[in-house]
Amino acid sequence: MVLSKACTYGILATLYVAKENKEFVPIRELSDELHISFHFLTKILQQLTAQGLLISLKGPKGGVKLAKDPATITYYDVIRAIDGDEVFTECVLGLPGCGHEAPCPIHEFWSPTRDLLKTTFVSQSLEESAYQINELKLRLSLGHWNLEEE
Amino acid sequence: MVLSKACTYGILATLYVAKENKEFVPIRELSDELHISFHFLTKILQQLTAQGLLISLKGPKGGVKLAKDPATITYYDVIRAIDGDEVFTECVLGLPGCGHEAPCPIHEFWSPTRDLLKTTFVSQSLEESAYQINELKLRLSLGHWNLEEE
DNA sequence: AATTTATCAGACAAATTAGTCTGATTAAAA
DNA sequence: TTTTAATCAGACTAATTTGTCTGATAAATT
């Protein structure tokens, strides 16, 4: 698995918030719509709040919102806040100190692939995805299509 | 993490066997040289034996050897035998049924990246890496360099 | 001021992955 | 034929990730 579940949940939630484009979305709404455990999602979003990607508000009318313009937040930002950037920097075989000077047997081939992996997430902003979600009516929910309520 | 630890251990072990190029390498030698837990590695190599990538022999002069010409075994073969091929097929956001007809918001961008990921592992054989290990004296061990014995 | 609705904090449980251990089995060598 | 050296089988433990729960805190409404 490239991304942890916590990380994919974090991405789905920030995408939802980006597409809604309103003040403070309650986590309960996110967990209901995306079919993610409320308490688990709460913990994940607290991380994103602590990292400065989200702003939260307690009480009625509370919830979370993006801390910045969604055009300036990339998938990479969210991934790094939850999973760290090890997946984009570490040796795929786990050899300590693997690099150009002391490469593992596939370093030379893995390195460009790893770079593309990073570029893929760096070059996509939440706004671009939010636009596509709205335009193309893309779903974000983890629920299976034929179990979706209308 | 792209590959599980079990998977990286399996790759390192098969690479070691490929570079040694002799009949039946004992797992004890592999675990000592690669600094991997003997019992854990044993279980992993049993999987590879069950999957037909390795042949094992009990008793003195026993151990494991490659079941085929290392030129015909790819990293992808080993990865699939241990981790399965989900990492090469599933949605990076975990959305069930994500695909061309019902894409997730980054399907279009993730898809080629995922393809390169697979291609990277499909196009590298154990023999090619074994050759490089021998020629360039590349290390396989998980031990840190300054802790290595001579 | 009291109530309601939300996040925050942290303990706890379950599931998965990683790692350990003991004994059974098998094959070669003495 | 006995001993020895290896894998095989499976139970067990530890660590990490995932998920659940309860209460404290804060902000808006009544």
Side-chain angles (χ1 to χ4, degrees):
Chain A
M1 201 170 353
V2 177
L3 305 179
S4 69
K5 285 199 168 192
C7 191
T8 64
Y9 296 170
I11 292 172
L12 293 173
T14 51
L15 286 175
Y16 187 96
V17 171
K19 90 166 168 76
E20 286 299 301
N21 195 31
K22 60 187 181 192
E23 290 283 291
F24 294 113
V25 180
I27 301 177
R28 179 64 71 183
E29 176 179 341
L30 294 168
S31 68
D32 283 350
E33 292 294 323
L34 303 174
H35 294 92
I36 299 171
S37 148
F38 167 73
H39 291 290
F40 192 32
L41 184 57
T42 294
K43 290 207 303 189
I44 296 161
L45 298 187
Q46 277 173 18
Q47 281 186 255
L48 294 180
T49 301
Q51 303 263 346
L53 286 176
L54 295 177
I55 293 173
S56 69
L57 181 70
K58 291 180 178 177
K61 299 281 178 183
V64 295
K65 68 173 181 181
L66 299 178
K68 308 189 296 181
D69 180 353
T72 70
I73 306 177
T74 69
Y75 280 75
Y76 176 71
D77 295 325
V78 181
I79 293 168
R80 194 178 35 180
I82 298 174
D83 279 350
D85 66 352
E86 289 80 7
V87 70
F88 306 115
T89 60
E90 302 239 304
C91 174
V92 70
L93 296 183
L95 296 198
C98 172
H100 184 61
E101 328 79 48
C104 76
I106 52 167
H107 177 79
E108 168 186 3
F109 306 96
W110 174 247
S111 190
T113 300
R114 198 177 61 182
D115 290 345
L116 178 63
L117 200 68
K118 179 169 176 175
T119 301
T120 301
F121 293 123
V122 166
S123 57
Q124 279 296 303
S125 72
L126 297 188
E127 184 179 57
E128 287 165 276
S129 279
Y131 176 80
Q132 295 211 349
I133 292 165
N134 285 324
E135 286 301 305
L136 306 175
K137 303 279 182 233
L138 301 186
R139 95 211 131 114
L140 288 177
S141 166
L142 291 174
H144 195 276
W145 64 272
N146 61 15
L147 297 177
E148 292 295 306
E149 68 282 359
E150 203 50 45
Chain B
M1 200 169 358
V2 177
L3 305 179
S4 69
K5 286 201 168 192
C7 191
T8 65
Y9 296 169
I11 292 172
L12 293 173
T14 51
L15 286 175
Y16 187 97
V17 170
K19 88 165 169 77
E20 286 300 300
N21 196 29
K22 61 189 182 193
E23 290 285 290
F24 294 113
V25 180
I27 300 176
R28 178 65 70 182
E29 176 180 340
L30 294 168
S31 68
D32 284 349
E33 292 293 323
L34 303 174
H35 295 92
I36 299 171
S37 147
F38 168 73
H39 291 291
F40 191 32
L41 184 58
T42 293
K43 288 207 304 188
I44 295 161
L45 297 186
Q46 277 172 19
Q47 280 186 257
L48 294 179
T49 301
Q51 303 265 344
L53 287 177
L54 296 177
I55 294 172
S56 68
L57 181 70
K58 291 180 178 177
K61 300 280 179 182
V64 297
K65 68 174 180 181
L66 299 177
K68 308 188 295 181
D69 180 354
T72 69
I73 306 178
T74 69
Y75 280 76
Y76 176 70
D77 294 325
V78 181
I79 293 168
R80 194 178 34 181
I82 298 174
D83 279 351
D85 66 351
E86 290 79 7
V87 70
F88 306 115
T89 60
E90 301 238 306
C91 173
V92 71
L93 296 183
L95 297 197
C98 172
H100 184 63
E101 328 79 50
C104 76
I106 51 169
H107 178 80
E108 169 186 2
F109 306 96
W110 174 248
S111 189
T113 300
R114 196 177 62 182
D115 289 346
L116 177 64
L117 200 70
K118 178 168 176 176
T119 301
T120 301
F121 294 123
V122 165
S123 57
Q124 280 294 305
S125 73
L126 297 187
E127 185 178 56
E128 286 165 275
S129 280
Y131 176 78
Q132 297 212 346
I133 292 166
N134 285 323
E135 287 300 307
L136 306 176
K137 303 280 183 231
L138 302 186
R139 97 212 129 111
L140 287 177
S141 167
L142 290 175
H144 194 275
W145 64 273
N146 61 15
L147 297 177
E148 290 296 307
E149 68 284 358
E150 202 45 47

